[in-house]
């Protein structure tokens, strides 16, 4: 009979109560990792309560103890998830574990590799996945639990889908952060590009505060395209404070100088 992928040889996975796993907290132990003292993030706990622990925990046997080699945060999240589930009268979860054998050095190498050799999704990739889940009927809260992040993070990712292609490409190239780019989402796609290009021409850093300022319409007067502080001061002196026509322009100039209009 032809062997299928599911029939192929594989490692044995044991389902264990997370409370029965030993987290190494002794700094002198060869498998000690300072991150063992981190508190389980609430977002991760909520995710585990819904989906369980999806990736097996790597462990080794040391007498009667089952020491965690890799997966400390998942174990801590599972322990807290079980505490909450039990309080709600629900069935606690078990975590999948795989026994690893090897020297202390080999196992410590696995510990390092498990944490370091990871490639996180780009903001645009997360944005696309979040929108796909939304189109499939998930609420923002459900998406947040799935990703293990806050609702605010999901809202920002979804906003990226409303950005013009050049802005999305700038986010992908890390020329502008996803948080800063999201501030442009309320404008038409043409306006987004224009405001982004204005910042580039002014050689302004793509910070959240700068992008927010570029996203503001101060009496419908565009931010002045000036680079030199002396030039800004000259333009400010020429703009009459009592003239309603120049009020917005003065406000933009004062912002560039880090000042406010005097009463």
């Amino acid at each position: 009979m032809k062997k299928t992928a599911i029939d192929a040889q594989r490692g044995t996975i044991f389902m264990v109560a997370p409370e029965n796993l030993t987290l190494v907290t002794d700094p002198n132990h060869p498998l000690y990792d300072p991150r063992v003292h981190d508190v389980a993030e609430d977002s991760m706990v909520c995710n585990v309560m819904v989906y369980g622990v999806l990736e097996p925990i790597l462990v080794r046997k040391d007498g009667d103890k089952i020491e965690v080699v890799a997966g400390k945060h998942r174990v801590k999240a599972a322990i807290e998830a079980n505490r909450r589930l039990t309080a709600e009268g629900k069935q606690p979860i078990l975590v999948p574990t795989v026994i690893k054998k090897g020297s202390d050095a080999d196992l410590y190498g696995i510990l390092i590799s498990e944490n370091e050799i990871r490639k996180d999704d780009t903001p645009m990739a997360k944005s696309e996945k979040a929108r796909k889940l939304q189109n499939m009927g998930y609420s923002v809260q459900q998406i947040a639990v799935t990703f293990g992040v806050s609702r605010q993070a999901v809202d920002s990712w979804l906003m990226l889908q409303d950005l013009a292609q050049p802005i999305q490409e700038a986010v992908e190239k890390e020329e502008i952060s996803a948080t800063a780019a999201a501030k442009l989402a309320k404008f038409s796609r043409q306006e987004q590009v224009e405001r982004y290009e204005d910042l580039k021409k002014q050689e302004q850093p793509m910070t959240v505060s700068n992008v927010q300022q570029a996203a503001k319409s101060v009496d419908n007067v565009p931010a002045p395209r000036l680079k030199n502080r002396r030039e800004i001061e000259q333009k400010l002196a020429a703009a009459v404070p009592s003239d309603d026509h120049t009020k917005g322009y003065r406000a933009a100039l004062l912002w560039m100088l880090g000042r406010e209009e005097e009463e």
Side-chain angles (χ1 to χ4, degrees):
M1 180 183 294
K2 183 178 180 180
K3 181 174 289 189
T4 64
I6 200 70
D7 294 322
Q9 184 176 0
R10 55 192 181 278
T12 302
I13 294 179
F14 300 92
M15 302 303 293
V16 180
E19 296 80 7
N20 293 336
L21 298 176
T22 299
L23 292 167
V24 176
T25 57
D26 179 4
N28 297 316
H29 193 286
L31 297 182
Y32 174 73
D33 181 347
R35 285 174 292 190
V36 72
H37 302 294
D38 293 346
V39 177
E41 294 181 3
D42 186 69
S43 56
M44 188 174 187
V45 174
C46 292
N47 181 279
V48 170
M49 290 177 69
V50 174
Y51 295 105
V53 174
L54 302 179
E55 185 178 350
I57 308 300
L58 304 184
V59 301
R60 80 167 177 183
K61 293 290 297 293
D62 182 12
D64 294 332
K65 294 189 296 185
I66 307 175
E67 293 180 334
V68 176
V69 175
K72 298 173 180 64
H73 288 164
R74 278 167 277 157
V75 171
K76 297 188 82 167
I79 292 172
E80 175 59 19
N82 276 352
R83 187 189 68 78
R84 298 183 190 183
L85 289 169
T86 301
E88 295 173 5
K90 298 178 180 177
Q91 187 72 23
I93 66 167
L94 301 176
V95 299
T97 61
V98 173
I99 296 176
K100 301 296 291 185
K101 295 181 179 180
S103 66
D104 287 346
D106 290 339
L107 296 179
Y108 190 63
I110 289 173
L111 183 159
I112 294 172
S113 297
E114 202 262 354
N115 287 291
E116 300 297 335
I117 304 180
R118 290 178 180 271
K119 184 177 181 181
D120 199 14
D121 275 340
T122 65
M124 286 310 306
K126 291 177 180 178
S127 171
E128 291 163 6
K129 290 177 179 178
R131 178 56 58 86
K132 185 173 181 178
L133 277 176
Q134 189 179 53
N135 291 339
M136 295 169 75
Y138 265 37
S139 66
V140 171
Q141 180 59 38
Q142 287 175 308
I143 296 171
V145 169
T146 300
F147 276 93
V149 298
S150 67
R151 288 175 57 98
Q152 290 78 5
V154 175
D155 284 334
S156 293
W157 293 344
L158 292 173
M159 284 182 189
L160 297 181
Q161 292 292 304
D162 298 324
L163 295 176
Q165 187 66 30
I167 310 297
Q168 291 185 352
E169 291 174 356
V171 172
E172 194 73 17
K173 295 175 183 176
E174 298 184 347
E175 294 174 357
I176 181 172
S177 72
T179 306
K183 302 299 180 184
L184 299 172
K186 65 178 181 179
F187 296 101
S188 70
R189 300 202 169 191
Q190 180 178 346
E191 288 178 308
Q192 292 170 14
V193 176
E194 289 174 355
R195 290 168 192 270
Y196 177 69
E197 291 299 327
D198 278 345
L199 281 174
K200 289 178 66 175
K201 288 175 183 176
Q202 294 175 51
E203 298 181 359
Q204 294 277 1
M206 298 296 173
T207 62
V208 172
S209 60
N210 283 348
V211 174
Q212 274 183 317
Q213 187 62 33
K216 289 179 180 177
S217 295
V218 186
D219 289 350
N220 295 320
V221 178
R225 301 182 181 182
L226 305 172
K227 300 178 185 177
N228 186 289
R229 187 177 182 86
R230 181 179 176 184
E231 186 181 355
I232 298 171
E233 294 277 9
Q234 290 174 345
K235 294 292 184 182
L236 180 62
V240 182
S242 60
D243 189 340
D244 289 339
H245 181 70
T246 61
K247 187 182 294 183
Y249 190 69
R250 282 182 59 82
L253 289 168
L254 286 165
W255 170 80
M256 293 180 73
L257 294 170
R259 291 161 45 190
E260 296 182 359
E261 187 75 81
E262 296 179 0
E263 296 292 339

